[in-house]
Amino acid sequence: MTDYKAPVRDIRFVRDEVFDYPALWKSLPGCEEVTPDLVEAVVDAMATFCEDALVPLNQSGDEEGCTWTKDGVTTPSGFKEAYKAYAESGWAGLTSPEQYGGQALPPSMESVLNEFAGSANWAWSMYPFLAKGARATILAHGTQDLIDTYVPKMVAGQWTGTMCLTEAHCGTDLGMLRTKAEPNADGSYALSGSKIFISSGDHDMVDNIVHIVIARLPDAPVGTKGISLFLVPKYLPNADGGLAANGVSCGSIEHKMGINANATCVINFDGATGFLLGELNRGLNCMFTFMNAARVGTAIQGIAHGELALQNAVKYARERLQMRSLSGPKNPDGPADAIIVHPDVRRMLLTIKSLTEGNRLFAHYLSSFLDIAKLSEEEAERQRAEDLLALLTPIAKGFMTETGFECASHGVQVFGGHGYISEWGMEQNMRDARIAMIYEGTNGIQALDLLGRKVLASNGKLLVGFVKEVRAWCEADSASSLKAERLPALTAALSQWQTLTQEVGVKALQNPEEVGAASFDYLMYSGYVVLAYLWLRAGEVAEEKCLEGGEGSDFYTAKLETTRFYFDRILPRIHTLAATISVGADSLMAMDESRFVVGLETD
Ligand SMILES: Cc1cc2nc3c(=O)[nH]c(=O)nc-3n(C[C@H](O)[C@H](O)[C@H](O)COP(=O)(O)OP(=O)(O)OC[C@H]3O[C@@H](n4cnc5c(N)ncnc54)[C@H](O)[C@@H]3O)c2cc1C
């Protein structure tokens, strides 16, 4: 079984010391009561809940999995009880409005809970987290009647929710969807169709599940312009508080690579009553409320698996004795040295550490813009936050899940053969991490969104805005020797990022395939540069604290050492990426489809 302690100290460093959330909240209306003491108490309570209630169910949930019968899905032993404790503690309403029973904390607090619960038990955490996205979508696009009927139950954790987009023949290309919504005389709609791969689509933890479904009206325009969004409950609430069946059923669950304790369902709608959210044929736009929040949540999945790999791999590497250090015994009284002395093991551990803690910086940098976008009274500040979120969300989703999986894989490798067997939990961590690169828009699609829509279609405006902010920080006076030492690498990477963008933009005018050919490497390049900026900010703070001396200096020294490792050994990956971005589409597109597999024809 994996060990896990929530990284409360690092969360405090990132949020309070690097990004100064207390000062941010002082400037935002509605956050008057969000004091450092309150936040500390909430974070500590989150840590306790995740460590005590969720960690013990992670491995057993994976082994037991979910069970389907025609009456519905049963979750693994203990899941229901953990959910009850979660709901009773008020975690479901952490950031929901007070008027619906929530605690109205700023949105960024979800990012902390998301990571802790995700490391503790990602499969379990998907049941409540999808509900939060569904609740946010109803609040943003539902009528007051729908809000009053559904939101308080979801805020209290009595009902959960899902996101129903995918159909068997369409996942990425939602314009092809077939689920039909036919108008009823009373203003509701009758939905018919079948959705697949619906996470948390059915389960036994609550009385009702509120599905957020995309479908098209019979006369809707073809493609994405004809998609509308509906709220379709598993059971329809009666006026007397009872629940009536609504033509929604779970046809089966998938048997899959990881997150086995989360039910991935076929959900059938058979004339089910649904209610329109937002305007007709504007469903995909409304769905973005759900998807953007979900994408930040999925990005954090990368941190969750990286942190689990880090904590367990470091412990193992300090205990496992194999071979002697190249520079002479470090444990002369023992039969061998601990494997943490070997440079190659340190390469893996520090790669996990620098990427995971770097991604945590990225997540809470991004989350601060969620708070500003929602709460600021200044129009210009809200717009700045929206612009940064638009640019950085696809980078975070793609980069953090790719590197989260890399970290989970290093976690397996540090354990050697023991990493590959189930006992230690490292192979489960890697299996669970893999899905994050696929759902919430595959990383290939995030990359196209970034380069095509966010960067080139805005004529570089969003990128220029971000680079300008980074350069302003670079140029600010600082006593930090670390900053002076590493600044040239960061500023060179920023300049190259802009040059590469221009190069691809010019080539794309001649050949549109150039965008798709460059996009994935461009996304990864962008992620490494964002992390370099954030590591240097963190390193500057840590250096100041080290100079002050006092308690906890090991923590800050480790930050300085990790910043140096990141700049020496991770950031240089951008040179390969720059080469593959620059080289263009030719060798990718030259091969005829028929030559991808040649010589295996049997007839
Ligand atoms: C465990 C699990 C949970 C899920 N949970 C949910 C859920 O809760 N709700 C929901 O609605 N869906 C869910 N999904 C579905 C998931 O979002 C889709 O699988 C995903 O969007 C990809 O769609 P697809 O599987 O149809 O792949 P396809 O769209 O067929 O894509 C196949 C490959 O082609 C690539 N590709 C396609 N088009 C392009 C293009 N234009 N340019 C470049 N590359 C392209 C893709 O990146 C991918 O690599 C889940 C899936 C799984 C496996």
Side-chain angles (χ1 to χ4, degrees):
M1 186 173 127
T2 45
D3 289 332
Y4 174 69
K5 285 270 168 234
V8 172
R9 176 69 188 92
D10 202 37
I11 286 285
R12 224 184 307 137
F13 170 71
V14 168
R15 291 174 67 95
D16 296 353
E17 299 176 55
V18 181
F19 299 126
D20 203 354
Y21 268 73
L24 170 67
W25 287 336
K26 263 194 197 144
S27 72
L28 294 175
C31 295
E32 296 76 14
E33 287 165 31
V34 190
T35 60
D37 286 351
L38 173 78
V39 172
E40 195 174 321
V42 171
V43 170
D44 286 348
M46 279 176 189
T48 305
F49 170 73
C50 295
E51 289 165 8
D52 295 352
L54 303 185
V55 171
L57 302 177
N58 194 26
Q59 192 172 17
S60 61
D62 179 59
E63 283 164 4
E64 191 180 334
C66 293
T67 319
W68 177 90
T69 69
K70 62 179 179 24
D71 297 325
V73 172
T74 306
T75 52
S77 312
F79 269 46
K80 208 170 158 174
E81 292 73 16
Y83 184 83
K84 190 162 174 271
Y86 165 92
E88 283 172 0
S89 304
W91 297 120
L94 188 69
T95 56
S96 302
E98 272 173 344
Q99 70 197 101
Y100 302 114
Q103 292 148 54
L105 286 172
S108 67
M109 288 298 290
E110 294 289 358
S111 299
V112 182
L113 181 59
N114 201 342
E115 183 196 322
F116 291 179
S119 284
N121 193 330
W122 185 266
W124 182 92
S125 74
M126 288 173 71
Y127 294 99
F129 289 163
L130 278 151
K132 292 198 176 183
R135 184 259 297 145
T137 307
I138 301 168
L139 267 175
H141 304 291
T143 59
Q144 194 57 47
D145 197 29
L146 287 177
I147 291 173
D148 291 342
T149 307
Y150 292 92
V151 170
K153 294 276 190 193
M154 298 175 86
V155 170
Q158 289 169 354
W159 295 351
T160 59
T162 74
M163 170 160 88
C164 292
L165 282 72
T166 307
E167 298 181 7
H169 64 289
C170 73
T172 300
D173 193 353
L174 294 171
M176 297 198 294
L177 76 86
R178 291 180 190 144
T179 297
K180 223 187 291 160
E182 290 175 295
N184 291 326
D186 64 359
S188 67
Y189 292 81
L191 274 89
S192 302
S194 195
K195 297 284 178 180
I196 66 162
F197 295 165
I198 304 309
S199 297
S200 317
D202 196 60
H203 58 85
D204 55 356
M205 306 203 292
V206 290
D207 303 336
N208 202 3
I209 300 172
V210 183
H211 300 287
I212 305 294
V213 186
I214 53 171
R216 62 172 71 254
L217 264 62
D219 58 354
V222 290
T224 53
K225 291 198 168 77
I227 295 178
S228 301
L229 190 64
F230 299 89
L231 182 162
V232 189
K234 178 177 175 184
Y235 296 110
L236 280 167
N238 293 328
D240 64 3
L243 293 171
N246 185 29
V248 180
S249 61
C250 174
S252 62
I253 55 174
E254 306 296 342
H255 299 278
K256 53 195 194 292
M257 178 179 186
I259 55 166
N260 287 325
N262 188 267
T264 306
C265 303
V266 171
I267 299 289
N268 297 319
F269 299 96
D270 190 7
T273 301
F275 307 95
L276 184 68
L277 293 168
E279 287 172 42
L280 275 177
N281 300 328
R282 301 277 300 157
L284 224 45
N285 294 58
C286 300
M287 203 69 209
F288 279 123
T289 312
F290 199 133
M291 288 200 284
N292 281 332
R295 280 174 186 170
V296 176
T298 307
I300 290 175
Q301 188 177 354
I303 311 175
H305 296 297
E307 181 65 28
L308 205 58
L310 178 67
Q311 291 189 20
N312 287 274
V314 168
K315 183 164 181 272
Y316 188 81
R318 295 184 70 187
E319 289 169 359
R320 175 76 172 168
L321 307 182
Q322 291 293 296
M323 308 277 289
R324 289 295 182 192
S325 158
L326 294 171
S327 55
K330 300 292 179 287
N331 175 31
D333 299 335
D337 290 335
I339 60 171
I340 198 165
V341 304
H342 304 308
D344 190 55
V345 173
R346 292 175 151 255
R347 169 188 66 80
M348 293 187 276
L349 295 175
L350 282 164
T351 298
I352 303 173
K353 185 173 172 65
S354 63
L355 288 172
T356 302
E357 292 177 8
N359 283 339
R360 185 172 294 122
L361 286 160
F362 193 177
H364 294 284
Y365 176 66
L366 196 57
S367 300
S368 69
F369 301 122
L370 290 175
D371 289 358
I372 297 168
K374 180 168 178 201
L375 299 168
S376 178
E377 278 175 333
E378 309 284 327
E379 164 70 29
E381 268 304 283
R382 284 202 308 274
Q383 189 57 53
R384 169 181 164 257
E386 293 288 359
D387 285 353
L388 288 166
L389 282 169
L391 177 78
L392 296 174
T393 300
I395 302 176
K397 196 279 174 180
F399 180 82
M400 287 166 65
T401 59
E402 293 286 331
T403 52
F405 182 71
E406 179 189 339
C407 292
S409 175
H410 289 311
V412 170
Q413 193 74 11
V414 169
F415 278 71
H418 299 274
Y420 196 71
I421 61 168
S422 24
E423 183 186 345
W424 294 90
M426 290 290 94
E427 61 85 40
Q428 181 194 340
N429 192 42
M430 189 169 167
R431 284 189 286 107
D432 287 354
R434 185 61 184 86
I435 184 60
M437 294 139 83
I438 298 172
Y439 57 21
E440 297 310 339
T442 61
N443 287 355
I445 296 304
Q446 301 297 328
L448 277 179
D449 179 46
L450 171 69
L451 182 55
R453 278 186 59 218
K454 303 295 172 53
V455 174
L456 297 178
S458 78
N459 282 325
K461 183 176 145 263
L462 298 180
L463 178 63
V464 169
F466 175 63
V467 170
K468 217 166 132 189
E469 296 216 0
V470 180
R471 284 198 192 282
W473 178 83
C474 292
E475 284 157 19
D477 286 341
S478 169
S480 166
S481 58
L482 181 78
K483 185 173 170 184
E485 176 190 313
R486 300 299 176 162
L487 210 52
L490 175 58
T491 50
L494 286 171
S495 302
Q496 189 179 39
W497 194 8
Q498 289 186 289
T499 309
L500 288 167
T501 307
Q502 279 163 3
E503 268 179 38
V504 178
V506 169
K507 277 195 231 161
L509 294 175
Q510 308 298 320
N511 177 8
E513 303 288 10
E514 293 288 349
V515 177
S519 54
F520 184 80
D521 293 340
Y522 183 89
L523 181 149
M524 294 305 287
Y525 185 104
S526 309
Y528 287 117
V529 179
V530 172
L531 247 62
Y533 162 55
L534 298 175
W535 261 121
L536 207 47
R537 280 184 66 174
E540 183 187 33
V541 174
E543 189 177 10
E544 207 177 306
K545 299 282 180 183
C546 278
L547 291 174
E548 284 169 15
E551 259 180 58
S553 62
D554 270 358
F555 179 88
Y556 298 115
T557 305
K559 289 292 175 197
L560 287 181
E561 290 165 340
T562 313
T563 308
R564 292 206 167 91
F565 174 87
Y566 182 85
F567 272 79
D568 281 348
R569 291 201 159 244
I570 303 293
L571 184 61
R573 293 180 184 186
I574 60 172
H575 301 310
T576 310
L577 292 167
T580 52
I581 293 166
S582 287
V583 78
D586 292 353
S587 58
L588 263 181
M589 303 310 288
M591 186 175 287
D592 188 85
E593 278 177 33
S594 64
R595 290 194 294 275
F596 274 72
V597 175
V598 180
L600 294 179
E601 295 81 5
T602 49
D603 50 15

